[in-house]
Amino acid sequence: MTPEKQSNLKAFFEPRSVAVFGSMREPAGEGLTVMRNMLNFGFSGRIYPISRSATQASGLKAYPTVNDVDGPIDLAIVVTPPTTVLPIIDECGQKGIKAAIVATEGFAETGPDGARLQRQLVETAWRYGMRLLGPNTLGVLSTDYGLVTAPYSMGHNKPPSGGITYCSQTGFLTFGVHPVKDIGYPISKICDFGNKCDVNELDLLPYLADDPSTNVICMHLEDIKNGQRFIEVARQA
């Protein structure tokens, strides 16, 4: 069943706890890099590395599965091979996680087989009422919360906090190429839609319109899921 299209997407931008799935190998494991970025950006929430092969990562205790973590988890960040993503999302659904960013490539952008896997991914998430961002995405950046989900090293490259939110369908136009400090504007949030398998511009516009930290909304879109609905939500925003 399709989950209710709520405008409130707080778990993606304001999580209190995050589970990270990905390689925890030194020095360039993608899961490890996601966690280092969040620590460097000053994320104050709980970070849970999920790994069957590591007992700790970046000084944090690692857990074999999310079900081994005590307490709730708001957001999952998944940077693992395509064939492993489906069981991970199922595991997150069983845990009660309601938002997941799938950074992994290799889905609908690669052809029919990838598109079929992406449909299965959405069906699995929706069965648990989970929202998905991506796949094939760098995810989000939220300056107020010190949150950044890019799986490559960003150091301390945090932009000044402000009222502009920028969204794009490709990470190369969000924080994929140029240092985000070079954008030169005070940033509230950045979002890379990726393949838009679930969360898209129709979801994000109402959320951002109600977001007290956002004064200006900028979007670079390669397509629009529903033109008439987009006009309606844009006017409301």
Side-chain angles (χ1 to χ4, degrees):
M1 178 182 296
T2 301
E4 181 181 357
K5 294 288 187 177
Q6 298 176 347
S7 64
N8 188 351
L9 302 178
K10 285 183 65 174
F12 288 103
F13 297 97
E14 307 170 36
R16 294 160 298 178
S17 53
V18 178
V20 179
F21 297 80
S23 172
M24 302 296 168
R25 292 195 301 270
E26 295 278 5
E30 291 179 320
L32 194 64
T33 301
V34 169
M35 293 189 299
R36 283 176 175 164
N37 284 336
M38 285 195 286
L39 293 171
N40 287 337
F41 270 52
F43 181 67
S44 59
R46 301 292 302 272
I47 303 174
Y48 300 107
I50 309 299
S51 172
R52 295 186 184 277
S53 59
T55 57
Q56 69 86 34
S58 284
L60 301 173
K61 178 183 177 181
Y63 298 82
T65 73
V66 290
N67 289 314
D68 294 305
V69 176
D70 291 330
I73 298 173
D74 295 326
L75 175 67
I77 303 171
V78 184
V79 200
T80 63
T83 55
T84 67
V85 173
L86 207 59
I88 286 173
I89 293 299
D90 188 71
E91 179 183 317
C92 289
Q94 293 178 37
K95 175 65 176 176
I97 299 173
K98 296 302 182 183
I101 296 172
V102 180
T104 307
E105 301 174 352
F107 288 87
E109 80 279 6
T110 64
D113 290 342
R116 183 163 48 252
L117 185 59
Q118 182 168 300
R119 287 193 297 272
Q120 294 172 344
L121 177 66
V122 174
E123 290 168 359
T124 301
W126 284 1
R127 190 162 64 244
Y128 294 103
M130 184 190 304
R131 302 304 306 272
L132 293 175
L133 181 64
N136 186 29
T137 178
L138 298 180
V140 303
L141 182 151
S142 180
T143 54
D144 285 350
Y145 283 81
L147 177 68
V148 61
T149 65
Y152 61 87
S153 180
M154 297 186 66
H156 295 273
N157 181 31
K158 184 178 180 180
S161 180
I164 298 175
T165 292
Y166 178 65
C167 311
S168 174
Q169 206 165 330
T170 169
F172 289 108
L173 293 178
T174 49
F175 43 100
V177 175
H178 304 292
V180 289
K181 282 183 178 178
D182 289 354
I183 293 173
Y185 294 98
I187 296 295
S188 172
K189 297 171 179 66
I190 297 177
C191 178
D192 170 15
F193 287 120
N195 288 5
K196 298 201 298 190
C197 74
D198 178 22
V199 173
N200 59 48
E201 62 279 355
L202 301 179
D203 302 294
L204 208 55
L205 264 176
Y207 166 76
L208 295 174
D210 292 335
D211 175 28
S213 298
T214 297
N215 298 322
V216 178
I217 303 169
C218 308
M219 289 190 172
H220 178 277
L221 301 173
E222 297 173 11
D223 68 354
I224 292 174
K225 291 294 185 182
N226 182 323
Q228 185 60 47
R229 178 62 182 153
F230 178 79
I231 292 172
E232 293 171 3
V233 297
R235 283 175 175 160
Q236 291 167 6

